[in-house]
Amino acid sequence: MPRILGMFIAAITAVLLVAPTVAPAHAEAGSRDRTSVSDRALPQRPVTIWIKQTKATTRGVYVKIGGKATAWKHKPVMLQKKRNGVFRTIDRNRTNDRGQYSFRKFLRTGTHRFRVKVPKGNGYAASYSPVAGGTVTS
């Protein structure tokens, strides 16, 4: 019996060592995911985002975009806007003592989608907030 148990453990170990790694659900074929294999093994930091309208004009609205990056004090965050199907960094800021950040932007009429990227560091992989946004009408 101990020999069979030893063979079973050896077989399971061999399968685990040889088995191919599975890509995350968000990594589709041909995507622009540039994270390395070692980055995917790191945990992601929780990031929140919110958008609040501060002033409306005839050409658009002024908004405040903010949120919190847990355990990320006095560190950089990047505001990204989706354009032509790709998120591009449009502004940078740093978090405060509590990990909170904010941006002020003027949005013209149209649909806008934003997210915040927190770069990798302190044992965490690069993390992203959920996508937030909406449509501005005149």
Short mmCIF file of all heavy atoms in Angstrom, two decimals, residues 93-120:
data_model
loop_
_atom_site.label_atom_id
_atom_site.label_comp_id
_atom_site.label_asym_id
_atom_site.label_seq_id
_atom_site.Cartn_x
_atom_site.Cartn_y
_atom_site.Cartn_z
N ASN A 93 -1.03 60.91 -11.40
CA ASN A 93 -1.13 61.55 -10.10
C ASN A 93 -0.53 60.60 -9.06
O ASN A 93 -0.12 59.50 -9.41
CB ASN A 93 -2.59 61.88 -9.77
CG ASN A 93 -2.72 62.98 -8.74
OD1 ASN A 93 -1.75 63.40 -8.13
ND2 ASN A 93 -3.94 63.47 -8.56
N ARG A 94 -0.51 61.04 -7.81
CA ARG A 94 -0.03 60.19 -6.71
C ARG A 94 -1.14 60.04 -5.68
O ARG A 94 -1.98 60.92 -5.53
CB ARG A 94 1.21 60.79 -6.05
CG ARG A 94 2.44 60.68 -6.90
CD ARG A 94 3.67 61.11 -6.12
NE ARG A 94 4.87 60.76 -6.84
CZ ARG A 94 5.51 59.61 -6.73
NH1 ARG A 94 5.06 58.69 -5.91
NH2 ARG A 94 6.59 59.36 -7.42
N THR A 95 -1.10 58.94 -4.97
CA THR A 95 -2.09 58.72 -3.91
C THR A 95 -1.68 59.51 -2.66
O THR A 95 -0.52 59.87 -2.49
CB THR A 95 -2.19 57.23 -3.56
OG1 THR A 95 -0.90 56.76 -3.18
CG2 THR A 95 -2.70 56.42 -4.73
N ASN A 96 -2.65 59.73 -1.77
CA ASN A 96 -2.36 60.43 -0.52
C ASN A 96 -2.03 59.42 0.59
O ASN A 96 -1.78 58.25 0.31
CB ASN A 96 -3.54 61.34 -0.13
CG ASN A 96 -4.82 60.57 0.15
OD1 ASN A 96 -4.82 59.35 0.29
ND2 ASN A 96 -5.92 61.29 0.24
N ASP A 97 -2.07 59.87 1.84
CA ASP A 97 -1.75 59.01 2.99
C ASP A 97 -2.68 57.81 3.11
O ASP A 97 -2.32 56.79 3.69
CB ASP A 97 -1.85 59.80 4.30
CG ASP A 97 -0.75 60.83 4.43
OD1 ASP A 97 0.26 60.69 3.73
OD2 ASP A 97 -0.91 61.76 5.23
N ARG A 98 -3.91 57.94 2.61
CA ARG A 98 -4.90 56.87 2.73
C ARG A 98 -5.05 56.06 1.44
O ARG A 98 -5.97 55.25 1.33
CB ARG A 98 -6.25 57.46 3.14
CG ARG A 98 -6.22 58.00 4.57
CD ARG A 98 -7.47 58.73 4.89
NE ARG A 98 -7.34 60.05 4.27
CZ ARG A 98 -8.29 60.95 4.23
NH1 ARG A 98 -9.47 60.69 4.73
NH2 ARG A 98 -8.09 62.11 3.67
N GLY A 99 -4.19 56.29 0.45
CA GLY A 99 -4.27 55.55 -0.80
C GLY A 99 -5.30 56.10 -1.77
O GLY A 99 -5.64 55.46 -2.75
N GLN A 100 -5.83 57.31 -1.50
CA GLN A 100 -6.85 57.90 -2.37
C GLN A 100 -6.20 58.76 -3.44
O GLN A 100 -5.15 59.36 -3.21
CB GLN A 100 -7.82 58.74 -1.53
CG GLN A 100 -8.57 57.93 -0.51
CD GLN A 100 -9.37 58.80 0.44
OE1 GLN A 100 -9.04 59.96 0.66
NE2 GLN A 100 -10.41 58.24 1.01
N TYR A 101 -6.87 58.87 -4.58
CA TYR A 101 -6.38 59.68 -5.68
C TYR A 101 -7.55 60.44 -6.29
O TYR A 101 -8.71 60.10 -6.07
CB TYR A 101 -5.72 58.81 -6.75
CG TYR A 101 -6.67 57.82 -7.37
CD1 TYR A 101 -7.47 58.18 -8.45
CD2 TYR A 101 -6.81 56.54 -6.85
CE1 TYR A 101 -8.37 57.28 -8.99
CE2 TYR A 101 -7.70 55.65 -7.39
CZ TYR A 101 -8.48 56.02 -8.46
OH TYR A 101 -9.37 55.14 -9.00
N SER A 102 -7.26 61.51 -7.05
CA SER A 102 -8.31 62.21 -7.78
C SER A 102 -7.72 62.93 -8.98
O SER A 102 -6.54 63.29 -9.01
CB SER A 102 -9.04 63.21 -6.87
OG SER A 102 -8.17 64.25 -6.50
N PHE A 103 -8.56 63.11 -10.00
CA PHE A 103 -8.22 63.83 -11.22
C PHE A 103 -9.38 64.76 -11.53
O PHE A 103 -10.54 64.43 -11.25
CB PHE A 103 -8.05 62.87 -12.40
CG PHE A 103 -6.97 61.84 -12.22
CD1 PHE A 103 -7.28 60.58 -11.70
CD2 PHE A 103 -5.66 62.10 -12.57
CE1 PHE A 103 -6.30 59.62 -11.56
CE2 PHE A 103 -4.68 61.15 -12.41
CZ PHE A 103 -4.99 59.91 -11.91
N ARG A 104 -9.13 65.90 -12.14
CA ARG A 104 -10.17 66.80 -12.62
C ARG A 104 -10.04 66.90 -14.14
O ARG A 104 -8.95 67.18 -14.65
CB ARG A 104 -10.05 68.17 -11.99
CG ARG A 104 -10.27 68.14 -10.49
CD ARG A 104 -10.22 69.56 -9.90
NE ARG A 104 -10.19 69.52 -8.46
CZ ARG A 104 -11.26 69.39 -7.69
NH1 ARG A 104 -12.44 69.27 -8.22
NH2 ARG A 104 -11.14 69.37 -6.38
N LYS A 105 -11.14 66.69 -14.82
CA LYS A 105 -11.12 66.69 -16.29
C LYS A 105 -12.33 67.41 -16.84
O LYS A 105 -13.40 67.44 -16.22
CB LYS A 105 -11.14 65.25 -16.84
CG LYS A 105 -9.88 64.47 -16.56
CD LYS A 105 -8.78 65.04 -17.41
CE LYS A 105 -7.44 64.54 -16.96
NZ LYS A 105 -6.36 65.37 -17.41
N PHE A 106 -12.18 67.96 -18.05
CA PHE A 106 -13.30 68.53 -18.80
C PHE A 106 -13.65 67.54 -19.91
O PHE A 106 -12.78 67.14 -20.68
CB PHE A 106 -12.91 69.89 -19.41
CG PHE A 106 -14.03 70.47 -20.23
CD1 PHE A 106 -15.10 71.08 -19.62
CD2 PHE A 106 -14.00 70.40 -21.61
CE1 PHE A 106 -16.14 71.62 -20.37
CE2 PHE A 106 -15.02 70.93 -22.38
CZ PHE A 106 -16.10 71.55 -21.76
N LEU A 107 -14.90 67.13 -19.96
CA LEU A 107 -15.34 66.16 -20.96
C LEU A 107 -16.29 66.83 -21.94
O LEU A 107 -17.30 67.40 -21.54
CB LEU A 107 -16.04 64.98 -20.29
CG LEU A 107 -15.26 64.22 -19.23
CD1 LEU A 107 -16.12 63.11 -18.65
CD2 LEU A 107 -13.98 63.67 -19.80
N ARG A 108 -15.99 66.72 -23.20
CA ARG A 108 -16.88 67.25 -24.24
C ARG A 108 -18.00 66.24 -24.50
O ARG A 108 -17.98 65.13 -24.00
CB ARG A 108 -16.11 67.50 -25.53
CG ARG A 108 -15.09 68.61 -25.40
CD ARG A 108 -14.48 68.91 -26.74
NE ARG A 108 -13.43 69.88 -26.63
CZ ARG A 108 -13.62 71.19 -26.77
NH1 ARG A 108 -14.82 71.66 -27.02
NH2 ARG A 108 -12.61 72.01 -26.66
N THR A 109 -18.96 66.65 -25.31
CA THR A 109 -20.08 65.78 -25.66
C THR A 109 -19.56 64.49 -26.28
O THR A 109 -18.66 64.51 -27.12
CB THR A 109 -21.00 66.50 -26.66
OG1 THR A 109 -21.42 67.73 -26.06
CG2 THR A 109 -22.20 65.67 -26.99
N GLY A 110 -20.10 63.36 -25.85
CA GLY A 110 -19.69 62.06 -26.37
C GLY A 110 -19.63 61.02 -25.28
O GLY A 110 -19.96 61.28 -24.12
N THR A 111 -19.20 59.83 -25.66
CA THR A 111 -19.08 58.73 -24.71
C THR A 111 -17.64 58.62 -24.23
O THR A 111 -16.70 58.69 -25.03
CB THR A 111 -19.51 57.40 -25.37
OG1 THR A 111 -20.86 57.55 -25.81
CG2 THR A 111 -19.42 56.25 -24.40
N HIS A 112 -17.47 58.45 -22.94
CA HIS A 112 -16.14 58.39 -22.33
C HIS A 112 -16.05 57.16 -21.44
O HIS A 112 -16.97 56.86 -20.68
CB HIS A 112 -15.88 59.64 -21.50
CG HIS A 112 -16.03 60.90 -22.29
ND1 HIS A 112 -15.03 61.42 -23.05
CD2 HIS A 112 -17.09 61.74 -22.43
CE1 HIS A 112 -15.45 62.53 -23.64
NE2 HIS A 112 -16.72 62.74 -23.28
N ARG A 113 -14.92 56.45 -21.51
CA ARG A 113 -14.66 55.28 -20.67
C ARG A 113 -13.28 55.46 -20.03
O ARG A 113 -12.30 55.70 -20.74
CB ARG A 113 -14.66 53.98 -21.49
CG ARG A 113 -15.98 53.67 -22.16
CD ARG A 113 -16.95 53.09 -21.14
NE ARG A 113 -18.21 52.75 -21.78
CZ ARG A 113 -19.34 53.41 -21.57
NH1 ARG A 113 -19.37 54.42 -20.75
NH2 ARG A 113 -20.44 53.06 -22.17
N PHE A 114 -13.24 55.34 -18.71
CA PHE A 114 -11.99 55.53 -17.97
C PHE A 114 -11.69 54.31 -17.10
O PHE A 114 -12.58 53.59 -16.69
CB PHE A 114 -12.10 56.74 -17.04
CG PHE A 114 -12.27 58.04 -17.75
CD1 PHE A 114 -13.53 58.61 -17.87
CD2 PHE A 114 -11.20 58.71 -18.29
CE1 PHE A 114 -13.71 59.81 -18.51
CE2 PHE A 114 -11.36 59.91 -18.94
CZ PHE A 114 -12.62 60.47 -19.05
N ARG A 115 -10.41 54.15 -16.79
CA ARG A 115 -9.97 53.22 -15.76
C ARG A 115 -8.69 53.79 -15.17
O ARG A 115 -8.07 54.69 -15.74
CB ARG A 115 -9.74 51.82 -16.31
CG ARG A 115 -8.48 51.67 -17.15
CD ARG A 115 -8.28 50.24 -17.60
NE ARG A 115 -7.04 50.12 -18.37
CZ ARG A 115 -6.68 49.04 -19.01
NH1 ARG A 115 -7.45 47.97 -18.99
NH2 ARG A 115 -5.54 49.01 -19.67
N VAL A 116 -8.30 53.29 -14.03
CA VAL A 116 -7.07 53.72 -13.38
C VAL A 116 -6.13 52.53 -13.28
O VAL A 116 -6.53 51.44 -12.89
CB VAL A 116 -7.36 54.31 -11.98
CG1 VAL A 116 -6.08 54.61 -11.23
CG2 VAL A 116 -8.20 55.56 -12.11
N LYS A 117 -4.88 52.77 -13.66
CA LYS A 117 -3.86 51.73 -13.58
C LYS A 117 -2.94 52.04 -12.41
O LYS A 117 -2.51 53.17 -12.22
CB LYS A 117 -3.03 51.69 -14.86
CG LYS A 117 -1.91 50.68 -14.80
CD LYS A 117 -1.06 50.69 -16.06
CE LYS A 117 0.09 49.70 -15.94
NZ LYS A 117 0.97 49.75 -17.10
N VAL A 118 -2.68 51.01 -11.62
CA VAL A 118 -1.71 51.09 -10.53
C VAL A 118 -0.54 50.21 -10.94
O VAL A 118 -0.72 49.01 -11.17
CB VAL A 118 -2.33 50.61 -9.20
CG1 VAL A 118 -1.30 50.63 -8.10
CG2 VAL A 118 -3.53 51.45 -8.84
N PRO A 119 0.67 50.78 -11.11
CA PRO A 119 1.79 49.97 -11.57
C PRO A 119 2.19 48.90 -10.56
O PRO A 119 1.83 48.97 -9.39
CB PRO A 119 2.91 50.97 -11.78
CG PRO A 119 2.51 52.19 -11.06
CD PRO A 119 1.03 52.16 -10.87
N LYS A 120 2.94 47.91 -11.04
CA LYS A 120 3.37 46.85 -10.14
C LYS A 120 4.36 47.40 -9.11
O LYS A 120 5.05 48.38 -9.35
CB LYS A 120 3.98 45.69 -10.91
CG LYS A 120 5.30 45.98 -11.58
CD LYS A 120 5.81 44.75 -12.29
CE LYS A 120 7.15 45.05 -12.96
NZ LYS A 120 7.68 43.88 -13.60
#
